[in-house]
Amino acid sequence: MYKNKTPIIIGSDHAAYPLKEKVKKYIIEKGIDVKDIGAFSEDSVDYTDYGIKVASSVSTGEFERGILLCGTGLGMSMVANRFNHVRAALCNDLFSAIMSRQHNNSNILVMGGRLIGDGLAFEIVTAWLETPFEGGRHQSRIEKFDTISG
Ligand code: RB5
């Protein structure tokens, strides 16, 4: 289980709105609080705006972890990884989700609503919530992220 059950911040654009709603319900049913920052319909919006909201909240530490969804997951992951301390992982498969936790200590999970079905998305979310970071040699590697500028 997701040990500390700290609240999750979630956001999507219009393309992934249906999957975001299902993922949100799935997480709430696990007993984890979710802050949903939109989008709230399938009306066209800019994924950038929603990615900024979630990633900035994780970057400042207001939320420990977040989930972002857009059509492919590409735009959201590009936006989110602009923020300090954010390690956003685009995971449209289970293995990536597990490894992103074990080796990269990912703190934002990104998925593509136009790429994966509900069942796989739920499996990915569960793996991402429950898989611990291994630390050790991976700790010093991820610490170098925050020294990068340019
Ligand atoms: C929206 O059409 C689409 O571009 C967006 O959801 C996402 O896939 C961007 O990376």
Side-chain angles (χ1 to χ4, degrees):
M1 224 7 255
Y2 181 46
K3 295 285 189 302
N4 53 14
K5 292 203 173 186
T6 56
I8 302 275
I9 184 167
I10 192 168
S12 76
D13 70 354
H14 55 288
Y17 167 74
L19 184 60
K20 188 257 291 173
E21 291 299 301
K22 291 172 191 165
V23 166
K24 178 173 67 176
K25 184 167 175 282
Y26 181 75
I27 294 171
I28 290 169
E29 283 170 1
K30 282 179 169 287
I32 298 166
D33 284 340
V34 176
K35 176 168 172 147
D36 182 358
I37 55 88
F40 296 113
S41 77
E42 291 186 71
D43 294 343
S44 184
V45 293
D46 293 344
Y47 60 83
T48 326
D49 299 330
Y50 297 85
I52 288 170
K53 281 185 188 169
V54 167
S56 60
S57 296
V58 172
S59 180
T60 60
E62 185 188 352
F63 283 84
E64 187 183 321
R65 293 222 222 163
I67 296 179
L68 281 168
L69 306 102
C70 63
T72 57
L74 289 166
M76 285 296 198
S77 54
M78 290 175 187
V79 170
N81 280 313
R82 293 285 186 116
F83 287 79
N84 289 336
H85 317 304
V86 165
R87 294 175 300 278
L90 175 54
C91 302
N92 288 315
D93 66 274
L94 206 44
F95 185 68
S96 296
I98 293 166
M99 296 308 291
S100 83
R101 291 290 312 134
Q102 287 182 343
H103 286 196
N104 312 114
N105 200 13
S106 61
N107 51 15
I108 295 184
L109 170 66
V110 189
M111 295 183 288
R114 290 175 173 160
L115 285 171
I116 56 172
D118 303 347
L120 178 56
F122 298 156
E123 290 293 315
I124 288 170
V125 167
T126 300
W128 184 75
L129 288 174
E130 296 183 0
T131 304
F133 177 48
E134 284 180 359
R137 69 187 187 281
H138 303 296
Q139 180 64 40
S140 54
R141 291 171 182 169
I142 66 169
E143 278 171 8
K144 289 185 181 176
F145 294 0
D146 292 329
T147 68
I148 299 168
S149 64

